[in-house]
Amino acid sequence: GQVVDKFQQFLNPGDSGGPLFDERGEIIGMNTRSFRQGWRPDITTIYGAVPIDDIVTVLRQLKKSGHAEHPKIGWKLYPTSGLNPLDYRQKEIEKPQRDGLMITRITGGGPAEKAGLKVGDILLGYNGRNPKTTAEVARYLMFKRTQGDEINVTVYREIRWVEDKLEKDKDGNWTYNHYPRMETQELTCLVKLE
């Protein structure tokens, strides 16, 4: 099946939940949401859709058991390229030196926290995959994994601190100087999905 994540097509209010057609008139997804990028919605709005294969998978689960089960990892990811300086300040996160999918929220007591992942970590990979979008990660977790599965998650982490030093200034007076420091790490954690 065809994967649909984002597309550029004008939709009217109320179109969410409606079908998304390809050029042959076949349904390839369901319209779900819009992302406004910039101040001109007529030019900069990108719409999202759930791929039809994902919908069919969930419908089969509902038909079989009456409910759809999806494992939980306990994080919220957001692409750093979509955050502006105010977003970082609001989330109380330092802007990382590396772009990617950043963990912006961790569920207390959830699988991500238990594995040692932290807000501000940049997702580099999981089980040999190198994610490009949050939708790709969500699809993998929802449709390729089940509760109890373990996945290897590799992240980039920046550890920041301020080093204080007592030093003499140019006039020979003692003064405290503050030096921002940073160390980077690549960590791999084993996360057990719930």
Side-chain angles (χ1 to χ4, degrees):
Q2 186 173 357
V3 173
V4 181
D5 179 23
K6 291 188 239 176
F7 60 95
Q8 290 184 310
Q9 174 71 33
F10 184 76
L11 295 176
N12 292 309
D15 283 346
S16 292
L20 175 65
F21 297 96
D22 67 9
E23 62 278 353
R24 295 184 310 264
E26 295 179 9
I27 297 175
I28 60 170
M30 179 177 63
N31 301 317
T32 58
R33 64 196 186 276
S34 65
F35 305 97
R36 192 168 285 162
Q37 298 176 332
W39 60 276
R40 297 252 340 249
D42 56 327
I43 296 174
T44 58
T45 300
I46 298 175
Y47 298 90
V50 176
I52 194 67
D53 292 346
D54 295 354
I55 295 168
V56 169
T57 299
V58 170
L59 288 173
R60 286 184 182 142
Q61 289 176 353
L62 291 171
K63 186 175 181 179
K64 182 179 177 183
S65 65
H67 62 279
E69 297 235 351
H70 304 296
K72 294 171 185 63
I73 195 162
W75 68 21
K76 179 166 176 76
L77 296 175
Y78 202 88
T80 57
S81 60
L83 294 173
N84 68 45
L86 293 176
D87 292 326
Y88 288 106
R89 202 170 311 141
Q90 181 183 32
K91 295 179 186 309
E92 297 179 3
I93 302 170
E94 292 282 338
K95 181 170 180 4
Q97 294 185 354
R98 184 172 185 166
D99 275 332
L101 301 177
M102 177 189 277
I103 299 175
T104 58
R105 188 170 57 218
I106 296 271
T107 303
E113 184 182 68
K114 290 176 186 174
L117 297 172
K118 298 180 185 252
V119 169
D121 287 349
I122 304 289
L123 180 63
L124 298 178
Y126 55 92
N127 283 5
R129 298 169 186 264
N130 299 313
K132 302 287 184 257
T133 67
T134 56
E136 175 188 340
V137 176
R139 266 190 224 103
Y140 176 78
L141 293 172
M142 289 174 60
F143 301 115
K144 305 277 189 222
R145 300 284 115 206
T146 60
Q147 292 172 336
D149 283 357
E150 293 181 335
I151 60 171
N152 286 304
V153 175
T154 303
V155 295
Y156 165 84
R157 181 177 293 168
E158 295 178 353
I159 301 168
R160 298 170 188 260
W161 72 95
V162 175
E163 183 178 337
D164 295 327
K165 285 188 174 182
L166 182 61
E167 300 173 317
K168 285 189 177 184
D169 64 15
K170 64 182 180 194
D171 298 322
N173 298 316
W174 289 97
T175 183
Y176 272 104
N177 292 314
H178 309 287
Y179 298 99
R181 303 284 188 227
M182 185 181 75
E183 175 184 315
T184 62
Q185 299 176 338
E186 283 193 17
L187 308 164
T188 299
C189 303
L190 186 64
V191 181
K192 185 173 183 177
L193 302 175
E194 295 177 356

